[in-house]
Amino acid sequence: MGCVGAHVELNGFEGTVTINEPVLRYSGNPILTCHDVNKVWGNDCRLYTYTVHNAGVAKVTGANGNNQTIMLFRSHIADGRSVIGKALSDNGVNGWIVDPKPFLLPAIENDIYAEGVNIKSVIESEAGGVEDIRVNPIGSELYVLTYSAYHEKIPDRVKVMMAITKDFKTVIRYGPISEQDMRNVVIFPEPDKNETWRALLRPNDKDREVKGSGHIGGSFGEICVGFAPSPTGPWEIGSVIMRSGHGPSAYQAKIGPGSPPIKTPYGWLNIFHGVRSTMAGNPYTLGVAFHDLEEPTNPSKLRVSAKPLLMPSVSDCLVRETDYVHVPNVVFSCGALTGKDGTVAIYYGGNDTVMNVGLTNIQILNEMCNIFRLNPLTGEHLYSL
């Protein structure tokens, strides 16, 4: 099974992937680092950054009509907060041009807000930093941005905020997707036949179990479905569709959505992340699942691979000897893009420190979910050795 290979290619970066090695890492990784960003932002010491990671991505049309890849990356600045920057590449691999100013900073009164948004509450919720942005394409001209916002004074208090943009220049903030403590929200790019929009959300388990308890931190061991009449809400949190907690598993401790779902012939591709507790720490891996095209929120029609898609390695965080490394043993993706002949480009952070890219093939991912089946609601393996 693992010996059959599939070709992958992205603008001259090409090779073969198999079920045993489903991701081909780019030999030029990392594709963007703090040093690249500091060359542009470095004149303002308040924006001197130590990391570039966990970026959302999208395909856009450049000023000359050419296709470009846009990357909205997260960076830690000196005071510990995260901000979001923007970079563009003509080929999605290298030659990234960083914007001279951050794309998204913690909210202030002068930002643009949708009608009815509680501006004071948004400012308070984002004061501790904004991070891990997802670029959710809605139609051909609109993008819904979902990102985590940290409270400045309450440790670990996090909400997922929503904003919209058409041109990645003007951003309109819509406030929190929910008042619940939450991380990692991705939206399906089209509604169902009843014009209901669907999403995958990662609410705080403890907060869901004990409403009003004020518990923060949580275990984040569940992915729930969300429903809304519009991509900008209001969103209703539905039932659990994926759950961690069963061992041994790469997803034993935590689980969460990664890149926004991508429509394929095999179903909606869901690249998610999972965490396993070990004596040496808590490695983050990437997993793969396919949701049914007609019923993506039905767990009985969800195919999940027990075999991880990508596990962290030394090559995922190649830095200078004096560089800061934020979190060891982590691969984390907030965005993936499809290419020709079934190629999928996965943009992922390494050790919450640098940005990388790797290629996989949609047919290989489909076979992984067929061979290494597991129960999405319990994490139990449904295949035999």
Side-chain angles (χ1 to χ4, degrees):
M1 297 176 182
C3 296
V4 179
H7 183 73
V8 290
E9 190 270 333
L10 176 65
N11 294 317
F13 164 33
E14 61 183 318
T16 300
V17 293
T18 67
I19 290 177
N20 286 341
E21 298 290 342
V23 176
L24 176 68
R25 291 170 166 90
Y26 177 48
S27 61
N29 281 339
I31 58 173
L32 199 67
T33 73
C34 63
H35 304 293
D36 302 315
V37 175
N38 285 331
K39 289 177 183 177
V40 182
W41 293 2
N43 288 333
D44 186 343
C45 60
R46 297 170 300 173
L47 294 176
Y48 189 86
T49 184
Y50 295 88
T51 68
V52 174
H53 60 295
N54 298 4
V57 293
K59 294 178 181 177
V60 296
T61 301
N64 298 325
N66 58 320
N67 291 325
Q68 291 183 309
T69 300
I70 193 166
M71 178 192 295
L72 302 184
F73 58 86
R74 168 187 172 188
S75 284
H76 284 108
I77 55 177
D79 66 3
R81 290 181 294 174
S82 287
V83 301
I84 295 169
K86 182 175 76 173
L88 283 167
S89 168
D90 288 335
N91 61 19
V93 181
N94 50 35
W96 295 93
I97 299 174
V98 177
D99 260 25
K101 295 182 179 179
F103 175 76
L104 206 65
L105 294 168
I108 59 174
E109 288 188 7
N110 291 337
D111 289 327
I112 304 172
Y113 297 87
E115 185 177 355
V117 172
N118 186 331
I119 297 175
K120 182 179 178 181
S121 177
V122 171
I123 292 172
E124 182 179 313
S125 295
E126 294 192 6
V130 290
E131 60 185 59
D132 295 1
I133 195 167
R134 272 75 171 185
V135 181
N136 301 274
I138 304 298
S140 59
E141 297 181 349
L142 182 68
Y143 301 89
V144 176
L145 311 175
T146 51
Y147 58 96
S148 297
Y150 275 86
H151 199 282
E152 185 177 34
K153 297 179 180 178
I154 305 175
D156 297 323
R157 174 58 55 84
V158 59
K159 293 181 180 180
V160 170
M161 298 291 177
M162 301 186 67
I164 63 169
T165 187
K166 292 183 178 180
D167 55 9
F168 293 95
K169 295 177 182 177
T170 301
V171 176
I172 303 173
R173 280 174 157 90
Y174 276 74
I177 195 171
S178 170
E179 290 302 324
Q180 285 197 25
D181 196 28
M182 187 179 297
R183 295 208 64 180
N184 309 133
V185 171
V186 297
I187 301 171
F188 287 87
E190 61 186 49
D192 66 13
K193 59 184 178 182
N194 299 315
E195 294 302 309
T196 297
W197 291 83
R198 287 91 34 112
L200 300 175
L201 311 96
R202 187 198 190 197
N204 184 330
D205 304 356
K206 303 299 183 184
D207 195 39
R208 281 175 11 95
E209 292 169 4
V210 187
K211 292 185 179 180
S213 67
H215 187 283
I216 56 178
S219 64
F220 294 102
E222 297 174 347
I223 297 176
C224 295
V225 296
F227 303 95
S230 162
T232 54
W235 285 91
E236 175 187 347
I237 302 176
S239 58
V240 176
I241 191 172
M242 293 175 69
R243 182 180 285 117
S244 61
H246 189 276
S249 168
Y251 327 127
Q252 159 265 331
K254 294 183 181 181
I255 197 169
S259 64
I262 297 172
K263 195 173 189 178
T264 80
Y266 305 107
W268 291 103
L269 172 62
N270 170 12
I271 297 174
F272 61 93
H273 68 268
V275 184
R276 182 177 186 176
S277 299
T278 74
M279 294 179 67
N282 302 292
Y284 276 66
T285 63
L286 298 184
V288 59
F290 283 95
H291 298 250
D292 183 76
L293 289 177
E294 298 299 322
E295 299 182 64
T297 58
N298 186 344
S300 69
K301 295 187 176 183
L302 174 59
R303 296 182 295 126
V304 185
S305 172
K307 176 183 173 66
L309 173 61
L310 186 69
M311 293 184 285
S313 74
V314 172
S315 67
D316 294 317
C317 189
L318 300 177
V319 297
R320 301 175 183 176
E321 288 186 4
T322 56
D323 282 354
Y324 170 70
V325 175
H326 190 53
V327 184
N329 295 323
V330 172
V331 287
F332 195 96
S333 178
C334 293
L337 298 173
T338 55
K340 61 183 181 181
D341 300 326
T343 294
V344 179
I346 304 171
Y347 294 86
Y348 67 97
N351 290 8
D352 276 7
T353 304
V354 297
M355 272 304 299
N356 303 300
V357 65
L359 302 183
T360 188
N361 181 278
I362 196 69
Q363 295 160 323
I364 294 292
L365 303 184
N366 180 60
E367 280 303 299
M368 287 175 62
C369 291
N370 286 337
I371 295 169
F372 300 101
R373 296 287 292 268
L374 60 73
N375 185 321
L377 294 179
T378 67
E380 295 177 84
H381 296 175
L382 299 178
Y383 65 95
S384 57
L385 298 176

